[in-house]
Amino acid sequence: MTTKTWIWLAEHTDVFGGEANYSWVRRVEFETSAGASQREVVKAGKAALGLTGVRCLTVDCDEWYQLRPVGSQTVVFLRSC
């Protein structure tokens, strides 16, 4: 039996005036199992970006997640491909 996976795109960029600025951006792709919980997706996305252990405020935007690392003027978007 084949395990189905989802491919996600993670974007990490700076913030200006509270909005994503994209003066620099780091993009990576990562995989999760199909039906992964929000916690599993966020954990895998943070690991792919090297943000393991960084506290983040997470917003569930239905089809994607927004992470705001605490104490940092940056934002992370996690979108399924």
Side-chain angles (χ1 to χ4, degrees):
M1 186 169 137
T2 305
T3 303
K4 294 186 178 184
T5 60
W6 286 348
I7 298 174
W8 294 81
L9 174 66
E11 293 182 331
H12 186 205
T13 189
D14 63 318
V15 174
F16 183 76
E19 300 293 326
N21 189 30
Y22 289 95
S23 66
W24 60 266
V25 63
R26 181 165 177 233
R27 292 182 178 97
V28 296
E29 286 186 354
F30 65 96
E31 293 183 2
T32 62
S33 61
S37 67
Q38 174 183 334
R39 183 174 187 268
E40 292 170 324
V41 172
V42 169
K43 185 176 177 180
K46 287 172 60 176
L49 289 168
L51 297 175
T52 302
V54 176
R55 291 184 57 217
C56 294
L57 302 174
T58 304
V59 179
D60 183 352
C61 301
D62 290 332
E63 296 181 10
W64 52 280
Y65 301 109
Q66 177 184 23
L67 311 177
R68 296 280 180 151
V70 175
S72 174
Q73 294 297 314
T74 61
V75 64
V76 175
F77 298 108
L78 305 176
R79 296 182 175 103
S80 61
C81 297

